[in-house]
Amino acid sequence: MTSEASTTPQTARVGMRGSIEPWFSAYALAGLLVNGIVPLLIPLTVTSRGTVAVAAALAAFFGGQLFAPVIGKIADRTGRQRTIFLGSFPLMGVAAIGFGLSDGLLGWCVAAVVAGATAGAVQTLGSVFITEGHPEDEWDERIGWFRFVFGMGQVSGLAIGAVFADGHVHTGWYVAGVVIIFGTLLGRLRLPHLASAGSDPARPDSALPTPGGLRRELRGPFGRFLASWFLAMTAVQTFLNVMPLVMKDAFAVSSSHTASWYLLASVVGACLYPVCGRLADRYGCGWVLRTGLLITLTGLAVMTAAWIWHPSGDSWIGIAGLILVALGYPFDYIGATKMAADLTLDGQGSAMGLFNSAVAAGAIVGATVPSSLAARFGYGSLLPLAAGLIVAALLVGWGVLAREAYKPA
């Protein structure tokens, strides 16, 4: 059997200037909210109401993201990708401001659902503009730089969170919301026009969604990959959902210091996205995803050991583990994004929607199921649970991740 490197066409080198498009700046604002503001400010805003309230607010946000497959399919079939993408930003910004203004669980949950649904729409359609708007041999490099811009948005969100984490959390929501509203203007900058799935004459019939096709592929390699990705994201989000609370409880690291260290690690992580795109082209997306999961597992295992045995300097060991998790995430996401695009037999809108909703579903499970564990044994007890889930993800997906050719016949 030939290796993937020999069976996959060499990626066209479009370079940084050719890969980064002006509308990416709007996509960065989704990164600001999803990976920057949410993991820092939701727990800090809601924690005074207890672990159940924190779990409910987080579950509401990621529950909103479960609308991503429906949004992706509607956009794909109607050709309204631009309208839905651009219209999501003002709703997302207003929802962020609404979260800061709310002072009760119902208000937080309503705002979180709206923010999650609109963020899921932006993430799903952003990926679709790449996979349906450019040749496949450019995907690896473009997705790498695409996620780099998303990572820069995450860094901006973490910077806002770090500034307002101690004592001014509500102000952080207001600042983030105002910035996100400008995404509508930024997104109009050379955003591609895509035809609907049923009206694109250049798109072969075999590439169109077919009745029962999605169910069929869920029973194949795409389904096994999705199950593995769900477990991995449950593990990662179990930790990241309540990261400042875990670090404070397990290692006595303050929220502002956690935000600062995670910010620094995320700067490096953002720079790794284009590198991971090149590595996916050279070694295969399965190799990149396996590498990322092993880095993530190492970080969680290090923190678990420090939480159990409390060695001298355990706070620094916890910070080191946090940094490893942050550095593993670019490998995880780039490898998984490319695998989702390669393995799907259905439309890219549906595939990217399922991919993003697996992240959201994992986040919901990671927020709700372990909450009783955190209430009984402390937030540090989530670390061994997360490490075990990464092991499960590797076991479930190893066969698919190790395949030499990822495209279905």
Side-chain angles (χ1 to χ4, degrees):
M1 182 180 290
T2 57
S3 66
E4 183 184 25
S6 63
T7 59
T8 303
Q10 184 70 19
T11 297
R13 297 299 183 198
V14 291
M16 178 179 177
R17 287 188 177 182
S19 296
I20 297 181
E21 301 175 62
W23 66 270
F24 284 12
S25 57
Y27 183 69
L29 299 180
L32 182 149
L33 178 71
V34 176
N35 284 5
I37 295 297
V38 165
L40 282 179
L41 296 193
I42 283 186
L44 295 178
T45 303
V46 184
T47 188
S48 62
R49 304 296 178 90
T51 58
V52 174
V54 172
L58 288 166
F61 177 80
F62 291 106
Q65 290 200 311
L66 290 176
F67 289 101
V70 177
I71 294 171
K73 181 168 287 188
I74 291 172
D76 223 23
R77 290 185 180 276
T78 63
R80 295 188 179 275
Q81 298 95 335
R82 288 172 55 90
T83 301
I84 296 173
F85 181 83
L86 295 173
S88 296
F89 290 100
L91 290 174
M92 195 193 317
V94 169
I97 294 171
F99 198 100
L101 290 172
S102 299
D103 193 32
L105 187 57
L106 178 60
W108 287 325
C109 287
V110 171
V113 168
V114 175
T118 49
V122 169
Q123 289 180 275
T124 296
L125 294 177
S127 299
V128 171
F129 284 123
I130 295 291
T131 58
E132 292 189 5
H134 297 283
E136 185 175 352
D137 59 359
E138 297 179 7
W139 287 359
D140 287 342
E141 189 167 6
R142 287 188 182 277
I143 288 173
W145 288 109
F146 188 55
R147 290 299 300 185
F148 167 78
V149 174
F150 187 90
M152 288 292 100
Q154 173 187 348
V155 167
S156 300
L158 290 171
I160 293 172
V163 170
F164 298 107
D166 290 331
H168 303 281
V169 176
H170 293 83
T171 305
W173 284 109
Y174 307 150
V175 172
V178 170
V179 172
I180 290 168
I181 290 173
F182 284 98
T184 300
L185 298 177
L186 297 174
R188 295 178 63 86
L189 302 176
R190 292 172 55 187
L191 184 66
H193 290 268
L194 302 178
S196 63
S199 63
D200 187 354
R203 193 174 182 181
D205 292 342
S206 60
L208 299 177
T210 57
L214 190 58
R215 290 192 298 271
R216 184 174 64 252
E217 71 176 355
L218 285 176
R219 293 194 292 266
F222 182 80
R224 291 194 295 275
F225 155 71
L226 208 60
S228 175
W229 182 237
F230 166 73
L231 288 169
M233 288 299 96
T234 301
V236 171
Q237 297 298 340
T238 292
F239 170 59
L240 292 184
N241 276 342
V242 287
M243 172 181 53
L245 304 181
V246 173
M247 296 299 291
K248 185 175 182 179
D249 179 68
F251 309 112
V253 178
S254 69
S255 299
S256 59
H257 285 161
T258 295
S260 298
W261 281 108
Y262 193 61
L263 169 63
L264 291 174
S266 296
V267 171
V268 178
C271 296
L272 288 176
Y273 280 113
V275 175
C276 291
R278 293 289 183 89
L279 290 173
D281 172 45
R282 183 171 183 178
Y283 298 110
C285 46
W287 182 90
V288 172
L289 181 52
R290 285 201 312 269
T291 300
L293 292 177
L294 290 172
I295 294 172
T296 303
L297 177 60
T298 301
L300 292 170
V302 164
M303 285 190 283
T304 297
W307 174 69
I308 292 174
W309 287 295
H310 297 290
S312 177
D314 59 345
S315 61
W316 289 107
I317 296 174
I319 290 170
L322 171 67
I323 291 171
L324 282 174
V325 172
L327 297 182
Y329 195 76
F331 289 84
D332 296 340
Y333 208 95
I334 290 296
T337 301
K338 186 58 166 60
M339 285 197 77
D342 280 356
L343 286 171
T344 182
L345 295 170
D346 200 53
Q348 292 295 346
S350 298
M352 290 299 107
L354 281 170
F355 171 74
N356 284 310
S357 62
V359 179
I364 292 171
V365 174
T368 56
V369 175
S371 61
S372 59
L373 191 68
R376 184 172 182 181
F377 300 106
Y379 281 100
S381 63
L382 302 184
L383 294 168
L385 174 62
L389 286 168
I390 291 290
V391 172
L394 286 165
L395 292 175
V396 169
W398 193 266
V400 177
L401 301 182
R403 285 169 60 108
E404 294 176 289
Y406 301 115
K407 290 185 179 180

